[in-house]
Structures are given as structure tokens and as C-alpha cells.
């Protein structure tokens, strides 16, 4: 329930928050697609949009997590030649799980939340590789550990930036 002046402008604030999340995610997607493909470790690039989606899931509520799950999953599926929609489905589950588990933990601990992000990223990519293997497609499973380390390192810094992003006056939470 919105209170006071939020009743008048609540929908506008929610729409602006979604637009800022969309623009930020698209910007990170372009950085990931254009610049980060040059920096790989054993063929693994940093999944910047996925990490940002996980960080938003830690900091925000279920609706933002589901929005980010659909958005980042769609963007990841654009590059996936097989099993279109798998990233979106897995991201929805993973991001909702991150919101649920992060509520049980101390959200103000950045390193703990970065570990949570790395754990859920490892779970997502392990599930992805298992499903791909069951579908009869060739996958390399040892890249999951490299990916988890990348997510842990980048996730820590992106989590701090996401917290600042949510605390700024640019984004107002819909829970007010």
C-alpha cells in the first residue's frame, strides 16, 4: 500500500526504477558484448549482466529480481544457439532464490552476499550444463569453477555499486 504522496507518484517511481534498471542492464550488456569478449580466461568471459541481476536481487525485492531474471535471461538467450529460453527460466529461479535466501542472511555484509552470488551463479551454470548435456549438446563443465571465481570477484564490486545505485535518489524503492 502506498502512503501519502507516494499514492500520487508511486506508479511513476516504479516505472522510472524499471527504466533505469533496463538502461543500466543494456549498457552493461553492450560493455559485456563489445569489450569483455576480448578478456577471457579459457574461453570464459565475465557475465556482467548476470552478475548485475544477482546484485539487484540481493539489494531489492522479488519484483525487481523477476524483472531482472526475464531481462538478463532474454539477453543471454540471444547468444545461445540452442535451447532458447533456458537462460531466462534458470535466471528466474536463481534470482528468486537469491532474494529468498538473502532475506534470511545479513544483507549489509558485502562479502557474504558476494559469496551468495557466486554460489547461485555456480548453481545456475551447473544446471545449465547438466541440461545441455541431457539434451545431447557438447559442454565443458570445468569452466564453471573459473566462472564462479569471476563472479565472486566482480560480484563483490558490482554489489557495492548496486547498493549505491539503490541508495541514491535516482531509484526509490516501491516499498515506501
Amino acid at each position: 500500500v502506498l502512503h501519502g504522496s507516494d499514492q500520487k507518484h508511486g506508479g511513476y517511481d516504479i516505472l522510472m526504477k524499471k527504466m533505469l534498471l533496463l538502461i543500466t542492464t543494456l549498457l552493461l550488456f553492450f560493455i559485456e558484448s563489445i569489450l569483455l569478449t576480448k578478456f577471457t580466461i579459457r574461453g570464459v568471459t565475465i557475465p556482467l549482466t548476470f552478475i548485475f541481476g544477482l546484485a539487484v536481487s540481493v539489494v531489492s525485492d522479488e519484483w525487481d529480481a523477476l524483472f531482472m531474471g526475464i531481462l538478463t535471461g532474454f539477453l543471454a538467450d540471444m547468444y545461445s544457439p540452442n535451447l532458447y529460453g533456458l537462460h531466462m527460466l534458470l535466471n528466474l529461479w536463481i534470482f528468486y532464490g537469491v532474494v529468498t535466501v538473502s532475506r534470511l542472511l545479513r544483507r549489509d555484509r558485502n562479502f557474504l552476499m558476494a559469496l551468495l552470488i557466486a554460489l547461485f551463479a555456480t548453481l545456475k551454470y551447473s544446471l545449465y550444463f547438466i541440461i545441455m548435456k541431457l539434451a545431447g549438446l557438447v559442454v565443458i563443465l570445468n569452466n564453471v569453477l573459473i566462472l564462479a571465481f569471476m563472479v565472486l570477484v566482480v560480484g563483490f564490486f558490482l554489489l557495492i555499486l548496486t547498493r549505491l545505485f539503490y541508495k541514491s535518489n535516482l531509484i526509490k524503492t516501491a516499498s515506501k
Side-chain angles (χ1 to χ4, degrees):
V1 175
L2 299 172
H3 302 285
S5 65
D6 288 338
Q7 288 178 347
K8 187 175 179 182
H9 302 291
Y12 178 75
D13 290 341
I14 293 170
L15 180 64
M16 286 303 296
K17 179 170 62 167
K18 298 294 188 229
M19 289 302 296
L20 284 171
L21 286 174
L22 175 69
I23 291 168
T24 305
T25 304
L26 288 175
L27 179 68
L28 291 174
F29 176 72
F30 289 129
I31 291 171
E32 178 182 337
S33 301
I34 296 168
L35 298 177
L36 294 182
T37 55
K38 309 273 189 272
F39 306 103
T40 63
I41 300 174
R42 291 189 175 184
V44 178
T45 60
I46 299 171
L48 202 55
T49 54
F50 179 67
I51 298 170
F52 178 66
L54 286 169
V56 168
S57 299
V58 166
V59 174
S60 66
D61 60 359
E62 295 95 356
W63 295 109
D64 286 345
L66 294 177
F67 175 76
M68 292 302 293
I70 292 169
L71 180 61
T72 59
F74 174 75
L75 292 173
D77 282 331
M78 285 178 32
Y79 280 112
S80 180
N82 302 311
L83 300 175
Y84 188 79
L86 181 59
H87 284 286
M88 195 180 310
L89 181 64
L90 289 176
N91 284 4
L92 283 170
W93 288 343
I94 293 297
F95 290 4
Y96 189 77
V98 168
V99 167
T100 305
V101 172
S102 70
R103 285 189 174 168
L104 301 174
L105 302 172
R106 294 188 59 175
R107 284 182 155 189
D108 59 336
R109 301 290 184 206
N110 286 330
F111 186 72
L112 178 64
M113 292 298 113
L115 284 174
L116 180 72
I117 287 173
L119 176 71
F120 272 92
T122 305
L123 176 64
K124 186 244 179 160
Y125 286 106
S126 297
L127 287 172
Y128 179 79
F129 287 128
I130 289 169
I131 293 169
M132 295 290 279
K133 190 72 169 173
L134 290 174
L137 301 168
V138 178
V139 292
I140 302 170
L141 191 59
N142 63 351
N143 289 346
V144 172
L145 296 176
I146 296 169
L147 195 63
F149 180 72
M150 287 178 163
V151 169
L152 178 64
V153 172
V154 175
F156 180 76
F157 296 108
L158 205 53
L159 182 62
I160 292 170
L161 291 175
T162 305
R163 285 187 196 281
L164 294 173
F165 187 67
Y166 263 79
K167 286 181 181 179
S168 71
N169 289 331
L170 293 174
I171 291 192
K172 298 177 181 176
T173 57
S175 62
K176 284 186 176 180

